[in-house]
Amino acid sequence: MRDTIQQPGARLPAASPRGGRLGSQRWGWPDRGIQRTSEERLPQLVSALAGGALLTLGLRRGRLGGVAMALAGGGLLFRGTRTEQEPHVRKHGVIVRKLRRQRGRDATVELTVLQRSITIQGTPEALYRRWCDAETLNQVMGHFADVTSSGEGLQHWKVPGVLGQDLEWDAEVVEEHPGELLRWQSVGDTALPNEGWVRFRPAPRDWGTAVTLRFVFDPPGGVVGEKAVQLLGAVPAALALKALKRFKSLVESGEIPTTRPNPAAREGGYSF
Amino acid sequence: MRALCWNGINDLGVETVGDPRIVNPHDVILQVRMSTTCGSDLHFIDGYIPTMRKGDVIGHEFMGTVVEKGPAVKKIQVGDRVVVPSFIGCGSCWYCQHDLWSLCDNTNPKGELQEPLFGSQTAGIYGYTHAFGGYAGAHAQFVRVPHADNDCFRVPEGVTDEQALFLSDAVPTGYMGADFCDIQPGQTVAVWGCGGVGLMAQKAAFLLGAERVIGIDRFPERLKLAREKVGAETISYEEVDSVLDVLKELTGGRGPDACIDAVGMEAHGTGVGAAYDRAKQAMRLQTDRGQALRQAILACRKGGILSVVGVYGFMDAFPMGAIMNKGLTVRSAQQHGQKYLPRLLEHVVKGELDPSFLATHRFSLEDAPKGYELFKKKQDGCVRAVFLPN
């Protein structure tokens, strides 16, 4: 399910300014896009070119202004490349992997990319609205993290009990395309810098909506980072898919299936 | 409460466990009136299916009375006498909406355990392995039933508990197996297995218009039930040189128009194929003995339908060449009980179907291990052992 590529810095750009990395994130549309006419493709191409230029400028400048410019570029790129396939998906046919990349002069860390898709009954707009509901996110991520709203477009994530300490971070929404895509990114110091997006696209016939969830965990070097990675290492492939399954069950059937508590001849008469 | 638990391979015991609780808003709690053994339970009792845990409450074929309901349950009321299909369906995913209930997307909380073997996850089931959700089973005084409005079917006045009980699994599984055969007037259907599911598949084949039904087994008392209760012709595979030759002779050399496998992975058989399977299974090199299925494939007429309702895990030595070259259509599924329950209840009410003859033995819950022993060894003419937990 997972492989390691020994190409330091090859697939994702250099570490330092977070805005730069964010802006240069490649947008992926792993499944085939909607067929478009050539008239539709032209503005799309322009958009992609403009987005790429802004993004490059943003990256060069670095820091604050660069972040804003790169963000804008990312947004345009989002519109521009929607029919393309994600490079590593096209090449390898896998969507969960760890990428090794250079940090500093000689330290390498693993970047964990988790991406999974699921098809859910409902319109993209309705599912998008449901995802944005603060309580939904907490329920959906419940197998992995406690997510609480800590302000407009801001969430606090807490992964409890990682080797005696909680992993915590604040995440802010950095990109919104209602009914289509929502992107967030951790802010401030955390042992486990990360970002993620969720995308909603109409599925064929009466299938509803194809929903894709992507997490990118980018731990720094050092002991804490390693421990954080170890935590994810046990369940990385399951993490994104489980979240999607929980979201699907919640919106389709009104509940998340569980057997907790479940009568059993084990400790206390229940199994949890 | 008291419940029948799996404590290890070939080790069942009645234990005291916690009472089930309403966990999700669409749950009800049922006081179990009757539950019964199923051949598919033998697969994990014998240790051929993984992901059981010591202390799991087993049993998936049952009926009972609603004693408590969750806040979102609308149609089903406390006090209703209901029968519940073994597979849990949410009623709202694409699969449930298309009457493919055992493929429900939303009722298996541990679906990731199935994906390596099946490529996808199925619906959850009561009292089966953790790969099928790990829900506590129904050989217990009480059982939790999720999505009650979709999964509980009220038993009409005049239909007995025993008649309703087998509508939980044996009847819908057999009926679906016959429904898969797309039976046309004048056709002949052969059914491997004369246990609960096989007998019900034979009965359903007649209800769906088959002219002739042939039941295949080796136990005289089961073959007798097929002849006397269902009206099928029978073949005892231990008493003939070749089941295939007999089927050919019975069908003018063509073979049956449709063949139903109601046996599954622990088939008995005779000859080289059976010896091969036994040796491999004994060495845990494969999980399934597939004699019945192989025979059904070879027996089926060209262009016919092979309907598989026996349960399989991973089978090798599978004669794909026969399926391909004879142009067979293969249809298979775990039961979509919710699709069939309304029409099955109607058949019972009209007197066209009475599955209660399957209940050859009755036990209290405390004696349930004895019931499974009798059922497994097919002693004393046991077709199904029925438990009365309250």
Side-chain angles (χ1 to χ4, degrees):
Chain A
M1 295 296 287
R2 204 184 332 148
D3 62 359
T4 301
I5 297 180
Q6 302 282 353
Q7 285 177 308
R11 295 195 172 273
L12 285 153
S16 42
R18 294 199 58 84
R21 195 165 57 77
L22 172 69
S24 63
Q25 177 74 49
R26 293 176 201 204
W27 284 107
W29 298 107
D31 38 353
R32 287 187 66 80
I34 303 154
Q35 291 297 318
R36 283 162 192 282
T37 63
S38 53
E39 296 89 87
E40 279 175 312
R41 283 202 194 99
L42 185 62
Q44 209 184 328
L45 185 65
V46 172
S47 178
L49 285 171
L54 267 177
L55 201 146
T56 313
L57 279 173
L59 279 175
R60 286 210 186 123
R61 266 198 210 175
R63 303 296 164 211
L64 227 65
V67 173
M69 200 177 274
L71 265 176
L76 286 171
L77 211 59
F78 159 75
R79 301 220 170 268
T81 60
R82 54 173 48 184
T83 55
E84 285 179 18
Q85 289 203 320
E86 188 123 20
H88 69 257
V89 173
R90 191 169 54 222
K91 191 169 177 187
H92 301 285
V94 294
I95 48 177
V96 174
R97 60 178 51 236
K98 285 189 172 188
L99 301 175
R100 217 167 254 288
R101 73 178 173 81
Q102 199 81 23
R103 183 185 292 281
R105 199 162 276 178
D106 40 31
T108 58
V109 295
E110 285 191 330
L111 189 76
T112 301
V113 182
L114 313 177
Q115 183 180 314
R116 279 290 184 268
S117 296
I118 203 164
T119 300
I120 304 180
Q121 297 279 287
T123 63
E125 293 74 23
L127 296 181
Y128 181 94
R129 277 197 302 274
R130 194 68 190 271
W131 184 278
C132 291
D133 182 78
E135 180 50 29
T136 302
L137 204 57
N138 191 35
Q139 280 183 275
V140 165
M141 299 297 169
H143 62 296
F144 149 66
D146 295 323
V147 185
T148 45
S149 181
S150 52
E152 182 70 26
L154 206 63
Q155 285 115 21
H156 184 72
W157 291 62
K158 181 166 144 184
V159 182
V162 186
L163 299 157
Q165 66 177 73
D166 295 340
L167 271 177
E168 294 186 62
W169 64 84
D170 285 314
E172 64 174 341
V173 171
V174 291
E175 201 172 340
E176 291 173 281
H177 303 276
E180 291 184 61
L181 183 133
L182 184 77
R183 184 142 77 114
W184 60 90
Q185 186 190 24
S186 62
V187 289
D189 280 341
T190 167
L192 190 60
N194 66 84
E195 58 193 61
W197 51 251
V198 60
R199 186 190 73 200
F200 303 86
R201 305 185 76 199
R205 297 172 65 96
D206 60 349
W207 281 98
T209 299
V211 183
T212 300
L213 175 63
R214 180 173 170 114
F215 287 114
V216 180
F217 291 100
D218 179 16
V223 180
V224 182
E226 274 175 30
K227 284 181 178 172
V229 170
Q230 279 168 13
L231 164 82
L232 294 169
V235 285
L239 206 74
L241 184 57
K242 193 98 182 164
L244 284 173
K245 282 182 179 175
R246 292 166 66 93
F247 178 62
K248 174 184 166 79
S249 293
L250 187 64
V251 297
E252 283 186 344
S253 74
E255 59 184 56
I256 294 170
T258 181
T259 53
R260 302 173 179 208
N262 202 32
R266 289 193 279 273
E267 58 290 351
Y270 291 100
S271 157
F272 287 91
Chain B
M1 66 170 183
R2 299 287 281 168
L4 181 66
C5 298
W6 184 91
N7 287 331
I9 293 173
N10 289 313
D11 181 6
L12 301 179
V14 181
E15 313 283 348
T16 298
V17 303
D19 288 348
R21 305 172 191 162
I22 300 280
V23 180
N24 270 335
H26 302 91
D27 291 352
V28 296
I29 304 297
L30 231 61
Q31 184 173 31
V32 180
R33 293 170 73 95
M34 279 189 181
S35 65
T36 184
T37 57
C38 174
S40 64
D41 294 332
L42 301 178
H43 306 326
F44 64 73
I45 292 172
D46 291 343
Y48 292 119
I49 297 189
T51 74
M52 287 296 286
R53 288 181 66 198
K54 189 177 182 303
D56 283 344
V57 180
I58 68 168
H60 61 259
E61 191 162 358
F62 62 102
M63 54 84 59
T65 307
V66 177
V67 293
E68 196 184 343
K69 66 172 203 166
V73 177
K74 295 196 175 78
K75 288 187 278 180
I76 293 299
Q77 305 299 333
V78 168
D80 285 350
R81 187 170 64 116
V82 297
V83 55
V84 180
S86 306
F87 275 83
I88 306 168
C90 77
S92 49
C93 69
W94 190 93
Y95 295 96
C96 289
Q97 295 277 315
H98 289 75
D99 258 348
L100 300 166
W101 294 79
S102 67
L103 309 181
C104 175
D105 271 336
N106 293 321
T107 55
N108 187 346
K110 298 168 190 171
E112 65 274 10
L113 296 174
Q114 286 181 324
E115 281 173 12
L117 189 60
F118 301 156
S120 302
Q121 69 174 58
T122 72
I125 184 171
Y126 307 92
Y128 218 71
T129 61
H130 286 265
F132 283 88
Y135 288 90
H139 295 325
Q141 291 179 280
F142 299 93
V143 63
R144 171 188 159 225
V145 174
H147 297 291
D149 282 337
N150 295 300
D151 293 1
C152 290
F153 292 81
R154 272 193 209 94
V155 179
E157 292 277 328
V159 174
T160 67
D161 284 358
E162 271 179 2
Q163 287 174 323
L165 169 64
F166 297 106
L167 301 187
S168 169
D169 192 346
V171 182
T173 303
Y175 197 95
M176 182 187 71
D179 192 26
F180 281 165
C181 296
D182 194 18
I183 297 166
Q184 306 298 313
Q187 287 196 328
T188 299
V189 177
V191 180
W192 274 255
C194 294
V197 172
L199 289 167
M200 290 303 111
Q202 293 164 29
K203 179 69 192 172
F206 277 127
L207 286 171
L208 292 167
E211 186 171 301
R212 296 173 73 190
V213 176
I214 302 166
I216 300 151
D217 206 300
R218 65 178 169 142
F219 294 98
E221 68 278 7
R222 293 189 174 199
L223 292 165
K224 189 166 174 244
L225 285 174
R227 284 191 303 271
E228 292 179 359
K229 297 287 185 183
V230 179
E233 298 162 60
T234 59
I235 300 172
S236 170
Y237 64 80
E238 285 185 338
E239 289 176 11
V240 298
D241 289 335
S242 163
V243 172
L244 297 179
D245 286 349
V246 175
L247 284 171
K248 281 258 164 87
E249 287 312 303
L250 288 173
T251 55
R254 301 183 304 277
D257 298 291
C259 292
I260 301 175
D261 171 2
V263 177
M265 61 162 74
E266 288 183 75
H268 295 81
T270 53
V272 179
Y276 167 84
D277 282 344
R278 276 216 159 271
K280 285 197 78 173
Q281 200 174 50
M283 293 164 71
R284 293 292 193 270
L285 291 173
Q286 83 180 53
T287 62
D288 300 359
R289 299 194 302 259
Q291 269 301 89
L293 181 54
R294 286 192 204 104
Q295 210 168 58
I297 292 167
L298 293 182
C300 199
R301 76 154 163 86
K302 291 183 284 184
I305 293 176
L306 173 72
S307 164
V308 184
V309 291
V311 173
Y312 287 89
F314 186 82
M315 179 178 152
D316 64 2
F318 183 73
M320 193 61 216
I323 291 175
M324 190 272 157
N325 288 292
K326 291 206 296 182
L328 301 188
T329 298
V330 182
R331 301 195 65 186
S332 188
Q334 296 273 15
Q335 60 137 330
H336 305 308
Q338 290 85 341
K339 171 182 177 181
Y340 294 103
L341 248 294
R343 78 174 88 156
L344 295 178
L345 282 164
E346 209 177 297
H347 279 309
V348 175
V349 169
K350 286 183 182 164
E352 296 160 346
L353 172 70
D354 183 0
S356 57
F357 72 88
L358 299 178
T360 52
H361 296 73
R362 286 178 173 224
F363 293 91
S364 68
L365 184 63
E366 296 301 318
D367 288 332
K370 266 191 253 168
Y372 263 98
E373 189 69 10
L374 204 69
F375 172 66
K376 180 181 168 179
K377 295 183 175 162
K378 300 171 179 74
Q379 291 165 339
D380 194 31
C382 182
V383 176
R384 285 296 183 92
V386 171
F387 306 133
L388 296 112
N390 286 289

